[in-house]
């Protein structure tokens, strides 16, 4: 049996691991099952009926059959074989293609969002132009124009003129395609600078197609970047993408290079080694770029996974064990850093101290042989696992060790004997080399037993296999992937160990089929718990960009439907885990709210909300319910109707009211929002609604709190914006955008940065539902004015000038849309008081130190206040400075110009009869 690291070096693609050493027995090879770790056996998001029927079959087999350790038809194999049969028609091609497209196009999408990334790409590509490389001036000028057009397209992508954007996009494509054509025509004589420029041109083409939402073509151009200039692309232009996407396929080359480098002392030899390494790495990158490009071609046959052999040149090496130890250390440090060595040493020492035995690596075997508590046969078996290179011997030894483990009642002595790095590494080597499912399951079970008992074993496993290649092989197995997931969970890997694109689909398969309890000797565990741990690492354990990319990858693989299934059928903890993952997906792609609103089990969600209200824990259920309120008006109405139908209307209101009283201060504004949304489905003129009263009082109290924690203020701001009722297609509250449009504010005004932060044509509402939106704001304003009274207006006015920026802005936006409906105020005293309360704060917002958008909203609100009231004394509040500010603001909004006219004339413009009648009719319809 060869070492673990030699097997890792050879890679997993298309290898028969039982043939990796000349001493591997022919008997072992003949009985081994076909290697099913070569192709990714994935079938994500099966039809629910298929899954359910599989589960029923498994449950029947559990009732019918006993557990036999050595039988090839043992319970684990029977249940997993049934699952395997249900997976014999995989949709792997489509899933793989979607995954590749999502990752590649998603990465270049950073160009539109990340200023630092955009500047880096510009700088690198511009340097190619400076070097020239004998290119025609027309090629350089075309590329330069192409870059400028792409940047201009990004800067102006939020404008309203779709036709102009399409034209700009086509112009960019035209310039860049001319560059590609010119360079391709000189392909035979193309030098490295021209290859670099060609790669840059393909990168910019990928960016344009990504902007046009043609992700597949974008992905093809990204792959062409690595085809045109592999070294330049992987080391300078897109090194991060290469490490994430290509390096997992080529890790054996990097391992080989580090091994060779340890024996080099001559600079000339090191230089020759680096050239050899880079040549092979470039060829490997090119092979996989072409492989994935062929995958993306419509109608093309599935290509064979390319083989990238190690260089034939090599210096003579030391013994297997010393080399493996050195190689393990390099990979281990790359993942964990040097500090974990100390942690591992301490853990191992503590294990041996507990059992009053000192086992040192140098004299381990001698001590083992002198241990009279272990039989000679067992001692020899353990020694074989630790040192033998012959697979068949190790497999026999595994049987001996396993039998001894099960037969012994007190496992202290045998546990100590097995809890050493040589033995653990030896068992991992068996897992990587053997194709015998029985042997694999025995090893997995023994490792799970000792890992569950000792933290040191967990660290040893991660030390021996820092890139988790052993687990990647096992998770691809059709019969053992569930059991392997349990051992992986017990090892507690970190996110940075799971950089391969294969992890997400493999973990999702565990999530789909991992609901039944699996038995690994005395360890009993449900694999879906392992799946949730691994998903948590994949979706939360990297930097923000990579986390969001993985979430989008999960959505593309159909993972949301799996999470919803688990949410519906699981217990409380499983529901909370599902909601946590779903929330990550919403942050990555807000448009998935629509799918969730249609398919989420509303009753299960309410049950979770109620359960959480009784516990002092995170309110993930409440947070998800709030997210689902950020939809178009039609969808929100449907959702609220379903919530009331599933639970009796008054019952759900009472539950939420109790929840409001129990909630922490930072949660109360969000609960109030849900309560108001549900309550306002009924008569807004009902003055006796305790739910409405409690919700409004809670909001007023939160606004008035001068010692609010930041989280409370953030949630309060979000609650106010949600109550505005208008949302973008990605679910972001955007009442401000609509209000600015009403004020005639131009997004491309010279002094505005607004166009770079908002999308005017991204509003959800259609003409058909605009009336519903207006009616919602009318209802909300009626309740706020007539039940919030002076207290709410005063709290909003104070918040506009004294709160954190986000809450101050939300308060200003709320006042702005409420100011459109002052006519619903039934209390004449309040009608006359409203301007006195709000106008001073709004005038402050006219100052030059405020954002132009805020100044426009203030002008819009002031105009409405003056139009709807008859308070002449407010004209005195507009001093000369305020009038100057309005003069300046009149350049971007008609509201300022009209305000100036009204203030100068001293007369008030009242609603004309037609408009007032329209408002009265609307109020009557409520």
């Amino acid at each position: 049996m060869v070492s673990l690291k030699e097997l890792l070096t050879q890679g997993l693609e298309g290898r028969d691991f039982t043939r990796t050493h000349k001493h591997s027995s022919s008997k072992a090879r003949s009985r081994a099952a076909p290697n099913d770790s070569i192709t990714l056996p994935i079938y994500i998001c099966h039809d629910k009926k298929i899954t359910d029927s599989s589960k029923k079959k498994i449950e029947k087999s559990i009732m019918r059959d006993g557990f036999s350790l050595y039988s090839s038809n043992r319970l684990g194999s029977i249940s997993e074989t049934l699952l395997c049969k249900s997976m014999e028609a995989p949709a792997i091609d489509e899933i793989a293609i979607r995954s590749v497209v999502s990752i590649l196009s998603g990465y270049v999408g950073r160009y539109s969002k990340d200023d630092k990334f955009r500047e880096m790409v510009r700088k690198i590509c511009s340097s190619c132009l400076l070097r020239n490389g004998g290119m025609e001036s027309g090629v350089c000028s075309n590329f330069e124009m192409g870059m400028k057009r792409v940047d201009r397209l990004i800067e102006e992508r939020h404008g309203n003129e779709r036709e102009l954007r399409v034209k700009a996009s086509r112009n960019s494509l035209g310039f860049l395609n001319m560059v590609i054509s010119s360079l391709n025509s000189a392909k035979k004589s193309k030098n490295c600078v021209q290859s670099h420029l060609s790669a840059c041109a393909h990168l910019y083409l990928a960016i344009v197609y990504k902007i046009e939402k043609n992700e597949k073509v974008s992905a093809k151009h990204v792959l062409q970047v690595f085809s045109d200039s592999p070294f330049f692309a992987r080391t300078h232009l897109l090194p991060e993408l290469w490490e994430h996407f290509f390096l997992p396929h080529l890790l054996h080359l990097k391992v080989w290079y580090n091994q060779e480098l340890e024996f080099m002392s001559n600079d000339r030899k090191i230089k020759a080694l680096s050239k050899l390494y880079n040549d092979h790495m470039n060829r490997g990158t090119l092979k996989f770029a072409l492989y994935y490009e062929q995958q993306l071609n419509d109608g093309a046959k599935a290509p064979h996974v390319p083989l990238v052999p190690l260089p034939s040149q090599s210096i003579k090496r030391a013994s297997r064990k010393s080399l493996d130890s050195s190689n393990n250390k390099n990979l281990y440090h790359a993942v964990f850093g040097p500090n974990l060595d100390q942690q591992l040493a301490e853990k191992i020492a503590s294990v041996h101290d507990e059992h009053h035995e000192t086992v040192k690596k140098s004299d381990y075997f001698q001590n083992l042989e002198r241990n009279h508590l272990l039989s000679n046969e067992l001692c020899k078996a353990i020694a074989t696992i630790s040192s033998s290179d012959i697979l068949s011997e190790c497999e026999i030894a595994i049987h001996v060790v396993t039998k001894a483990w099960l037969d012994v009642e007190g496992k202290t002595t045998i546990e100590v004997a097995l809890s050493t790095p040589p033995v653990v590494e030896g068992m991992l080597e068996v897992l990587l080399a053997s194709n015998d499912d029985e042997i694999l399951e025995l090893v997995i079970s023994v490792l799970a037993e000792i890992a569950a008992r000792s933290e040191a074993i967990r660290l040893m496993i991660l030390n021996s296999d820092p890139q988790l290649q052993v687990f990647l092989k096992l998770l691809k197995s059709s019969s053992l992937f569930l059991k392997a997931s349990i051992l992986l969970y017990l090892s507690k890997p970190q996110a940075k160990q799971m950089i391969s694109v294969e992890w997400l689909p493999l973990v999702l398969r565990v999530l789909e089929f991992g609901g039944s309890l699996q038995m690994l000797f005395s360890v009993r565990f449900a694999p879906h718990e392992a799946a949730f741990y691994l998903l948590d690492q994949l979706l939360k354990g990297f930097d923000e960009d990579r986390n969001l990319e993985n979430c989008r990858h999960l959505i593309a693989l159909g993972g949301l439907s799996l999470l919803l299934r688990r949410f519906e059928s699981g217990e409380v903890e499983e529901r909370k885990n599902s909601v946590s993952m779903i929330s990550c997906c919403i942050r990555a792609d807000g448009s998935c709210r629509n799918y969730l609103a249609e398919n989420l089990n509303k009753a299960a969600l309410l049950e979770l909300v109620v359960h959480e209200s009784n516990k002092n824990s995170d309110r993930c259920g409440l947070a998800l319910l709030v997210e689902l309120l950020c939809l178009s008006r039609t969808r929100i109405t449907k959702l609220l109707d379903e919530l009331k139908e599933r639970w009796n209307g008054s019952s759900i209101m009472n539950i939420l009211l109790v929840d409001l009283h129990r909630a922490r201060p930072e949660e109360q504004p969000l609960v109030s929002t849900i309560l108001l949304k549900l309550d306002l489905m009924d008569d807004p003129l009902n003055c006796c609604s305790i739910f409405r009263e409690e919700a409004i009082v809670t909001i007023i109290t939160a606004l008035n709190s001068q010692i609010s924690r930041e989280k409370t203020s953030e949630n309060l701001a979000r609650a106010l914006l949600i109550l505005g009722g208008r949302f973008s297609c990605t679910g972001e509250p955007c009442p401000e955008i609509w209000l600015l449009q009403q004020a005639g504010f131009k997004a491309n005004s010279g002094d505005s940065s607004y166009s770079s932060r908002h999308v005017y044509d991204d509003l959800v509402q259609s003409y058909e539902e605009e009336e519903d939106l207006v009616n919602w704001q009318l209802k909300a304003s009626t309740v706020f004015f007539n039940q919030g009274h002076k207290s709410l207006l005063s709290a909003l006015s104070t918040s506009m000038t004294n709160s954190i920026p986000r809450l101050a802005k939300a308060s200003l936006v709320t006042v702005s849309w409420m100011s459109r409906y002052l006519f619903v105020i039934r209390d004449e005293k309040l009608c006359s008081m409203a301007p006195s309360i709000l106008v001073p704060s709004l005038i402050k917002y006219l100052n030059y130190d405020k954002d132009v958008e805020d100044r426009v909203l203030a002008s819009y609100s002031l105009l409405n206040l003056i139009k709807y009231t008859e308070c002449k004394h407010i004209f005195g509040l507009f001093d000369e400075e305020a009038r100057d500010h309005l003069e300046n603001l009149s350049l971007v909004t008609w509201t300022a110009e009209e305000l100036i006219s009204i203030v100068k004339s001293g007369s008030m413009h009242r609603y004309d009869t037609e408009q007032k009648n329209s408002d009265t009719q609307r109020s009557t319809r409520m």
Side-chain angles (χ1 to χ4, degrees), residues 666-667 669-670 673 710-720:
E666 64 267 23
E667 297 164 352
L670 299 176
T673 300
E710 184 174 351
K711 185 64 176 175
T712 304
S713 297
E714 289 287 338
N715 283 347
L716 179 56
R718 182 163 176 77
L720 290 175

Side-chain angles (χ1 to χ4, degrees), residues 1-2 18-26 29 389-391:
M1 182 181 66
V2 295
T18 59
R19 301 176 186 268
T20 54
H21 197 279
K22 62 181 180 181
H23 298 302
S24 297
S25 69
S26 58
R29 288 197 300 270
D389 287 342
I390 301 175
L391 178 60

Side-chain angles (χ1 to χ4, degrees), residues 646-887:
R646 297 296 173 90
W647 291 46
N648 178 275
S650 59
S651 175
I652 185 177
M653 300 293 280
N654 283 312
I655 289 169
L656 288 171
L657 185 58
V658 172
D659 193 7
L660 179 62
H661 292 152
R662 289 177 175 173
R664 295 191 288 259
E666 64 267 23
E667 297 164 352
Q668 289 177 344
L670 299 176
V671 181
S672 298
T673 300
I674 301 170
L675 203 56
L676 276 173
K677 288 276 188 179
L678 284 164
D679 187 67
L680 289 181
M681 293 181 72
D682 300 324
D683 182 11
L685 300 179
N686 178 13
C687 299
C688 303
S689 171
I690 184 66
F691 311 113
R692 190 177 304 169
E693 182 180 343
E694 289 282 343
I696 292 176
V697 168
T698 299
I699 290 174
I700 293 171
T701 302
L703 285 167
N704 284 332
S705 176
Q706 297 301 313
I707 56 172
S708 290
R709 287 179 289 181
E710 184 174 351
K711 185 64 176 175
T712 304
S713 297
E714 289 287 338
N715 283 347
L716 179 56
R718 182 163 176 77
L720 290 175
L721 292 174
I722 289 173
L723 289 170
R726 295 178 181 272
F727 306 93
S728 71
C729 64
T730 57
E732 288 303 312
C734 56
E736 176 190 3
I737 299 174
W738 183 82
L739 287 165
L740 290 170
Q741 286 179 325
Q742 301 306 300
F745 177 65
K746 301 294 184 183
N748 58 356
S749 300
D751 59 344
S752 171
S753 60
Y754 195 75
S755 60
S756 64
R757 293 187 283 118
H758 294 289
V759 184
Y760 270 86
D761 57 355
D762 195 27
L763 294 175
V764 168
Q765 68 270 14
S766 62
Y767 290 111
E768 292 75 17
E769 70 173 12
E770 179 62 27
E771 187 72 15
D772 288 339
L773 282 165
V774 171
N775 282 335
W776 158 256
Q777 289 190 339
L778 187 59
K779 282 184 177 183
S781 297
T782 301
V783 169
F784 288 164
F785 280 126
N786 295 308
Q787 293 192 250
H789 299 292
K790 175 185 175 183
S791 299
L792 178 60
L793 297 183
S794 297
L796 286 170
S797 180
T798 302
S799 176
M800 280 193 290
T801 54
N802 294 328
S803 298
I804 64 170
R806 180 171 165 78
L807 179 55
K809 180 63 165 279
S811 300
L812 172 63
V813 170
T814 302
V815 167
S816 297
W817 64 260
M818 284 178 61
S819 70
R820 292 170 48 85
Y821 304 102
L822 287 161
F823 61 86
V824 302
I825 299 176
R826 295 193 296 270
D827 186 340
E828 290 188 7
K829 186 177 180 181
L830 178 62
C831 190
S832 61
M833 290 173 62
S836 300
I837 296 170
L838 297 173
V839 167
S841 295
L842 290 170
I843 287 179
K844 290 180 181 179
Y845 266 91
L846 297 176
N847 293 341
Y848 294 126
D849 62 343
K850 301 294 184 183
D851 290 340
V852 66
E853 299 86 17
D854 294 350
R855 298 173 65 206
V856 171
L857 290 177
S859 172
Y860 179 79
S861 304
L862 287 167
L863 181 61
N864 286 331
L865 283 165
I866 290 178
K867 278 187 173 182
Y868 284 108
T869 61
E870 298 181 356
C871 302
K872 296 183 179 180
H873 67 276
I874 65 174
F875 293 120
L877 300 175
F878 288 86
D879 57 17
E880 186 174 347
E881 184 181 16
R883 295 183 186 187
D884 287 343
H885 292 154
L886 285 174
E887 289 283 357

Side-chain angles (χ1 to χ4, degrees), residues 567 576 579-580 582-584 586-587 593 596 600 605-606 608-610 612-613 617-630 639 656 659 664 666-671 673-674 711 715 718 722 731:
F567 175 78
K576 292 177 74 171
V579 167
S580 177
I582 289 169
S583 298
C584 291
I586 291 174
R587 283 193 290 275
R593 286 183 178 89
L596 294 170
L600 180 72
L605 179 58
L606 285 175
L608 179 60
V609 171
V610 172
E612 290 175 339
S613 69
S617 60
D618 291 337
R619 303 297 304 277
C620 57
L622 173 67
L624 179 58
L625 184 53
V626 171
E627 292 290 353
L628 295 181
L629 294 179
C630 300
L639 173 68
L656 288 171
D659 193 7
R664 295 191 288 259
E666 64 267 23
E667 297 164 352
Q668 289 177 344
L670 299 176
V671 181
T673 300
I674 301 170
K711 185 64 176 175
N715 283 347
R718 182 163 176 77
I722 289 173

Side-chain angles (χ1 to χ4, degrees), residues 549-560:
E549 178 187 326
N550 282 347
C551 290
R552 288 188 284 268
H553 187 189
L554 181 145
I555 296 171
L557 290 171
L560 273 180

